Amino acid sequence: MNEQRIGRTWPHILDNLPTVGLILASAAQVIAGRAAAETLTWNRGGGSWAIKSYWEGVDPQRVPLITDDTVIDNAGNAAVRQDGSHETHSLYLGNSASGSGTLAWRTAGTAGDMHVDDDLYVGNEGIGYVRLELDSAAGKTLTVGDDMFLGNTGTSRGYVVHEAGTVHVGDELAIGNSSSTQGSYTISGEAELIVNRDNPTTRRYLFVGKSGTGTLNQQGGTVTVGTYLRIAEGSASHGAYNMSGGLLDVSDGYSIILGRRNDGTFIQSGGSVLGPTSTQGIYLGFDANGVGEWQLSGSGNVNSGRFLRIGGEGKGIFTQTGGSVVVPTYAALGYSAGGVGTYTISAGTLDVDGTLYVGSGGTGTFHIIGDQATIEVDGYSQNADSTLELTINSISPINVDGAISLAGALDVEFASLPDIEDVFPIFINDGDDLVSGIFSDKPEGYVFSLAGTYIDMVLTYEANLDGGSIGNDVALLAVPEPSAILLLLLGILALGALRRRRE
């Protein structure tokens, strides 16, 4: 009998295996769907992420899974203390307008890694904090599969202090995501921030002020952006990148845009910036209402990767009081119609391996102060709407390897009075080409007087200051004005008459 039952049962089961498989698959989908819908909420003031009793929302209590959304909204502080991997689907720190929450790698205990499969909201509607502290986060990784928002909606605020370890964001890091929000990210030491995904067709953005107010403070470490770095993206945004050390690497990306639709600043006293090398370059003042200002001082270094456009359709300002700027292709001040670009240099090195356009489609101003800068360009071109400004005690010349084309204004101000026979080189032309064009209303031999003195300045486009084969340098020469010569002659004659009377 048992044999007969067995014989009848197994063929029946085998005949229905496809149906059983579908039932099991459906059950798995239901379980997965139920898990994906679970939200776990932190219930303690502080403690380890890995303790299951600190999470509510499921029964029995457990730690979050990769399919769970997690919320810390009670001023709680979840510490990534236990070694190993911690995970969640999306994480909300400060989810409600009155709430706050913290995710921290603290000095106590042995820290682990954290994997947020989807999005991380550091201040969704409230206040959020992420802290990767030096003694705990070293060698550890926070991975965000898609987007990370610092100050997401409403009047929320988000703060990240990143002293060690790696933060890897797959798609977008938005600091100050929407209007009225604020976000701040501070990176230092040997920490690393990566905004990049392996898929090259995906656009990866680091927004410092997307539609709200964003600040990124880089005191050290490395920031790597796979596609776009945009500072002050939206029409109501404000963005500031403050750099005193470390490396900002956008060399594999598309562009750095400072002041796309509103005001963005980049204040750099140290560290190095590597701009895009294959696609675009660095823009200051991109759209008509955009204002981008870069202040370079100290030991800071900038390599634009390709071009440097200061004043696209908006307003761009670059002020250099130290450091070095390398532009591998061309630099344009006032690139597009309506664009206004100003470059002021008083110290440091500017090296353009192409032409420096002072006014291209728009209006440009190149301002040299004193004699502490080194300026090297392969060509210089100034349009009729633009200006070369010189503030002279002595002056740093523009060393040109190629063609010089002049138009527009020359404005000269003396910070201290010159001596007779002083020569102030404006352009030292290493080539054999003659200067093309002149400054407006200032032909060869143009003379202007220095108020309150007996000194005239003579402008020449035919000086020979480098010992070349022809006179093709541009310079100012200090000479006594004609009335001073006349007074000198009268003085000599009077002295001669006095001597004759005495004799």
Side-chain angles (χ1 to χ4, degrees):
M1 183 178 295
N2 290 337
E3 291 178 358
Q4 291 176 349
R5 287 177 180 172
I6 292 172
R8 287 195 301 270
T9 301
W10 277 108
H12 176 76
I13 293 174
L14 291 174
D15 289 340
N16 290 277
L17 270 179
T19 303
V20 173
L22 289 172
I23 293 171
L24 291 174
S26 298
Q29 290 175 358
V30 169
I31 293 171
R34 185 182 303 124
E38 300 288 358
T39 298
L40 277 64
T41 302
W42 184 258
N43 64 19
R44 294 296 178 100
S48 173
W49 174 285
I51 297 178
K52 62 184 181 180
S53 62
Y54 292 177
W55 295 99
E56 293 178 347
V58 292
D59 188 18
Q61 288 179 277
R62 57 174 171 79
V63 297
L65 303 175
I66 200 68
T67 52
D68 295 323
D69 290 335
T70 49
V71 176
I72 303 177
D73 202 35
N74 62 336
N77 186 335
V80 185
R81 284 182 178 163
Q82 268 67 29
D83 193 11
S85 180
H86 307 69
E87 59 188 14
T88 184
H89 181 248
S90 290
L91 172 59
Y92 299 82
L93 305 173
N95 188 48
S96 64
S98 60
S100 65
T102 300
L103 178 71
W105 280 252
R106 294 293 193 181
T107 54
T110 302
D113 299 322
M114 172 65 71
H115 183 194
V116 180
D117 189 55
D118 192 25
D119 298 331
L120 171 56
Y121 300 87
V122 185
N124 184 37
E125 294 184 11
I127 303 173
Y129 304 89
V130 172
R131 296 189 175 99
L132 294 97
E133 296 185 354
L134 182 62
D135 294 335
S136 187
K140 305 305 178 182
T141 301
L142 165 61
T143 303
V144 180
D146 289 326
D147 301 329
M148 181 174 178
F149 304 101
L150 277 61
N152 185 42
T153 61
T155 59
S156 60
R157 290 171 285 164
Y159 305 93
V160 174
V161 176
H162 186 182
E163 298 175 349
T166 300
V167 174
H168 189 173
V169 181
D171 283 342
E172 176 183 318
L173 170 56
I175 305 173
N177 185 51
S178 58
S179 61
S180 301
T181 65
Q182 298 179 35
S184 173
Y185 196 115
T186 299
I187 181 171
S188 60
E190 301 298 322
E192 186 173 12
L193 168 63
I194 302 170
V195 183
N196 198 9
R197 185 187 286 273
D198 293 335
N199 182 358
T201 63
T202 303
R203 294 186 174 185
R204 287 85 66 190
Y205 293 90
L206 169 54
F207 292 109
V208 183
K210 184 177 182 181
S211 293
T213 299
T215 303
L216 199 155
N217 302 305
Q218 185 172 3
Q219 301 162 0
T222 301
V223 177
T224 303
V225 183
T227 308
Y228 298 105
L229 169 59
R230 294 184 176 178
I231 303 171
E233 169 73 4
S235 59
S237 64
H238 304 277
Y241 199 121
N242 304 312
M243 186 177 195
S244 58
L247 172 65
L248 169 60
D249 187 355
V250 196
S251 58
D252 290 334
Y254 286 2
S255 63
I256 298 174
I257 296 178
L258 178 57
R260 182 175 174 86
R261 297 186 180 92
N262 209 345
D263 60 296
T265 59
F266 200 114
I267 300 175
Q268 182 183 5
S269 61
S272 297
V273 176
L274 299 178
T277 58
S278 60
T279 305
Q280 299 180 33
I282 298 178
Y283 304 82
L284 277 63
F286 189 85
D287 285 342
N289 294 322
V291 179
E293 181 175 2
W294 199 303
Q295 300 176 22
L296 177 65
S297 63
S299 60
N301 299 300
V302 179
N303 187 317
S304 68
R306 293 185 68 242
F307 55 72
L308 174 61
R309 295 180 184 175
I310 302 173
E313 296 180 4
K315 182 178 182 180
I317 303 166
F318 200 113
T319 303
Q320 184 177 359
T321 60
S324 67
V325 176
V326 174
V327 183
T329 58
Y330 67 87
L333 316 180
Y335 179 77
S336 301
V340 178
T342 301
Y343 198 116
T344 300
I345 182 169
S346 58
T349 300
L350 170 62
D351 186 354
V352 182
D353 292 337
T355 298
L356 171 59
Y357 294 95
V358 181
S360 179
T363 302
T365 300
F366 190 55
H367 186 188
I368 305 171
I369 302 174
D371 62 354
Q372 298 301 303
T374 300
I375 305 167
E376 305 280 347
V377 301
D378 281 1
Y380 182 93
S381 176
Q382 181 173 319
N383 72 8
D385 296 323
S386 300
T387 303
L388 175 61
E389 292 185 357
L390 307 177
T391 301
I392 297 175
N393 42 29
S394 186
I395 196 69
S396 302
I398 304 171
N399 298 293
V400 185
D401 289 337
I404 300 174
S405 177
L406 300 179
L410 172 66
D411 287 347
V412 180
E413 178 183 359
F414 281 86
S416 60
L417 293 178
D419 295 324
I420 301 297
E421 297 184 353
D422 279 351
V423 177
F424 301 100
I426 301 174
F427 294 96
I428 296 179
N429 190 351
D430 288 345
D432 294 330
D433 296 330
L434 295 175
V435 176
S436 172
I438 61 171
F439 294 111
S440 297
D441 303 322
K442 293 180 175 61
E444 171 64 25
Y446 175 80
V447 178
F448 62 94
S449 298
L450 299 183
T453 74
Y454 294 104
I455 299 173
D456 279 349
M457 301 304 301
V458 179
L459 175 64
T460 177
Y461 303 89
E462 300 176 0
N464 191 342
L465 304 176
D466 59 353
S469 58
I470 60 173
N472 62 352
D473 302 322
V474 182
L476 289 169
L477 294 78
V479 299
E481 65 178 13
S483 59
I485 296 174
L486 178 60
L487 289 173
L488 179 61
L489 291 174
L490 290 174
I492 293 172
L493 292 174
L495 181 59
L498 178 61
R499 285 179 177 172
R500 285 194 295 271
R501 284 198 298 269
R502 286 180 176 176
E503 290 174 354

